[in-house]
Amino acid sequence: MPTFQVLSQKCSPPEALNVLKGLGYTVGFIIVILGRSELFIEHTTLAVFPVLAGDQRLSTMLRLWGIIFVGNIIGYFLEYIITLLEPHLLSTGTDIFEDIALHLTEYPWYIIFGSGIFAGWLLGILGWLDIASKETISRIVIIALITFIIGIGGFHHSIVGSIEVFAGVIVPGDRVSWSDLGKFQLWSTLGNIIGGVFFVGLVKYSHTIRALK
């Protein structure tokens, strides 16, 4: 019996599933960040600095955001579709995918938006701490701590979360709709951008400018 099947049978959503999500977020982000992959939230935070300094145009930054956002979404969608096609995983039943998706979409838009702001703020801080960390072990600890909080807290991440909702849409069942995915994608993305840019990027930039004066 696959490990995922054993765990899913023992899990009672949302509490136990949140623990699994937290661990999954941690492992995934450690691999992605240490592998120097392009992260959307990281770029929403860091790419704003050349624009504020007058070295780049706003249109250039927005184009960069768009390319990385679409690339992240396509990559994760393809990965998740391949996972869903794996017969042993599907033997666990598809209800678990709908349960995970519903745990992200059952809120009104302003809750998703606010949660997205907090997730963007955490990931923006993660980007700064990752740059400041000198050793691999310290980087892993920082990544694990912050991303586990996002996963176990159920905070809305516009990339990873959209894949979880997408999985709930495409599996057999009618509890999660395309409109749920659209609502999640819109408000979580806006929240992540605001959390990363305004609550981390602009604050850090203002501190940097003040220190240079």
Side-chain angles (χ1 to χ4, degrees), residues 157-177:
H157 186 278
S158 59
I159 305 298
V160 180
S162 67
I163 311 307
E164 294 171 328
V165 178
F166 175 70
V169 172
I170 65 174
V171 297
D174 57 2
R175 291 192 292 162
V176 187
S177 65

Side-chain angles (χ1 to χ4, degrees), residues 181-197:
L181 176 59
K183 180 184 73 172
F184 174 89
Q185 191 70 77
L186 172 63
W187 294 112
S188 64
T189 301
L190 292 177
N192 287 173
I193 290 174
I194 291 175
V197 172

